[in-house]
Amino acid sequence: MRLLKRHASGFVLALAGGGGRGLAHLGALKALEEGGLKPDAIVGTSIGALFGAMYALNPNAEDVRKRVFSFLASDVFRHIHLPSLHDRDAESDEDSWLTHLATVARQTILYARAMSDIAVADNKALTHVTNLFCAGGSFESARIPMYVTAVHYPSGESRLFSQGHLPQVLAASMAVPGVFDPVEIDDERYLDGGLASEVPAREARSVASPSQLVVAVNTGANPDPRHEPTNVFDMLDWAAQVRSLYLRRQQKVHVDVLIEPLVGNTQWRDFSNSDDEVGRGYEAAREKVPELRKRLGR
C-alpha cells in the first residue's frame, strides 16, 4: 500500500532461465534502457544470470547483444554439442542408413552413460563460455549489483551468490542436471539455479528495499499442446515443463511488473532463431515501459 501512495525509488530486475529462450532478455534490456530504466540490482538464474552479469559489468544492452551474437556465429559455439537422446532430423525418409546407424550409436552411448553416471556431459563448455564473457569481471567490479542463484548438490538447498568467482558461479547456475556435471565452488558442488527458482522473483524481493519494485522477465517453457510425448524421455521433459509452469506461477506473487515474451515453445537448446527471440523480448518489455515509468514517477 505504501507504494501506491508514493513512487518507488527504483527496481530490482529478475531474469529467468530458459536456455535459448533467454535470448529474449537481450531485447528486454534494450527496451528498458531505451525507456531510461536501469535496474538498481539484477538477480539472475541460469542464462538469465549470464546475460544479467554481462549487463551488470557493462550496462550497455547493444554491446551485450553484439557480444552474444558474435559468439553464436563463431566456430567455438558451433563446436559445442548439447546432448540429445533423440534426433528428429534423423527420422526423415531421405536419411541414409548410415545416418540412422550413427544416430542409434550415439543414442546407445548416451543411454549407457545415463545409466552409469549422473550427467551425459561435463561442464567444460559452460566454464569456457562464462570465462569468455566475464573473464576479468567480478561481483565486486560490477557496475550494477549482481546476484546469482544456484542449487547445492546433493542437499538441494538454494543459494543466492553475491560474491566469489563470478564465471564459476555463473557456470554452476547454468549446469542443467543430468546434462552437465555439478560445478565445484569452495569445495561444494552446485547445479542449475532454475531447479529452485526459474524466475528468481522471490530472491529479487529478498534483496530489494521496501521502496523498490521487483521487475521480472519470465522466459520459462510451456508444454506444447500440439505435441504428445512419444517416449519416456519426452514424457519426463513434459512433466518437468508442467512442474516449471506451476512453480513460476508461485513466483509471480513477488513481482510488481511482469514481462513475458512469447518464447514459451522454444526448446532450451535451440539458439537458431536469435533475432526472433530478442525481438520478442524487446516488444514485451517495451509494452511495460510506460507502466514501470509511471510507478517510478518518471
Side-chain angles (χ1 to χ4, degrees), residues 131-144:
N131 274 291
L132 181 66
F133 282 138
C134 297
S138 65
F139 283 102
E140 293 73 21
S141 65
R143 293 161 64 183
I144 298 174

Side-chain angles (χ1 to χ4, degrees), residues 194-202 218 239-254:
L195 288 169
S197 298
E198 189 172 336
V199 182
R202 177 174 55 83
N218 173 23
Q241 290 179 0
V242 173
R243 177 189 61 83
S244 171
L245 177 65
Y246 283 90
L247 287 176
R248 294 198 309 275
R249 288 179 181 176
Q250 294 176 17
Q251 286 278 19
K252 291 178 183 179
V253 301
H254 303 288

Side-chain angles (χ1 to χ4, degrees), residues 64-279:
V64 173
R65 187 198 67 80
K66 286 180 178 178
R67 289 185 64 198
V68 172
F69 272 49
S70 177
F71 173 73
L72 294 178
S74 70
D75 289 336
V76 173
F77 178 75
R78 284 194 289 269
H79 286 90
I80 295 176
H81 298 293
L82 297 176
S84 174
L85 288 171
H86 56 276
D87 192 339
R88 299 191 188 281
D89 293 335
E91 296 172 2
S92 169
D93 292 336
E94 297 179 0
D95 286 324
S96 69
W97 67 270
L98 185 59
T99 301
H100 286 288
L101 182 61
T103 299
V104 170
R106 178 172 59 83
Q107 290 175 343
T108 301
I109 293 170
L110 289 172
Y111 281 127
R113 183 165 183 186
M115 294 300 293
S116 62
D117 205 343
I118 63 170
V120 294
D122 62 33
N123 51 46
K124 291 180 180 178
L126 292 178
T127 55
H128 177 76
V129 170
T130 56
N131 274 291
L132 181 66
F133 282 138
C134 297
S138 65
F139 283 102
E140 293 73 21
S141 65
R143 293 161 64 183
I144 298 174
M146 183 70 207
Y147 299 83
V148 177
T149 69
V151 172
H152 182 266
Y153 177 81
S155 72
E157 292 293 325
S158 180
R159 179 173 173 185
L160 188 63
F161 288 86
S162 59
Q163 58 185 10
H165 187 252
L166 179 58
Q168 199 76 356
V169 171
L170 292 173
S173 187
M174 296 172 65
V176 177
V179 177
F180 298 107
D181 286 324
V183 176
E184 188 170 305
I185 303 173
D186 295 333
D187 298 323
E188 299 285 349
R189 292 173 294 169
Y190 294 88
L191 284 165
D192 184 7
L195 288 169
S197 298
E198 189 172 336
V199 182
R202 177 174 55 83
E203 289 80 1
R205 178 64 65 195
S206 73
V207 303
S209 71
S211 66
Q212 289 175 314
L213 301 174
V214 169
V215 178
V217 183
N218 173 23
T219 52
N222 296 321
D224 187 349
R226 300 165 300 178
H227 172 67
E228 289 190 14
T230 57
N231 56 49
V232 170
F233 291 97
D234 273 357
M235 181 60 79
L236 291 174
D237 185 50
W238 175 85
Q241 290 179 0
V242 173
R243 177 189 61 83
S244 171
L245 177 65
Y246 283 90
L247 287 176
R248 294 198 309 275
R249 288 179 181 176
Q250 294 176 17
Q251 286 278 19
K252 291 178 183 179
V253 301
H254 303 288
V255 178
D256 296 298
V257 178
L258 181 64
I259 299 169
E260 294 191 286
L262 299 176
V263 296
N265 291 328
T266 300
Q267 294 299 308
W268 74 272
R269 63 196 301 275
D270 183 5
F271 289 81
S272 62
N273 298 305
S274 305
D275 287 318
D276 290 341
E277 307 299 346
V278 173

Side-chain angles (χ1 to χ4, degrees), residues 32-43:
L32 292 173
E33 190 177 282
E34 287 180 352
L37 302 167
K38 287 193 177 182
D40 299 319
I42 300 173
V43 181

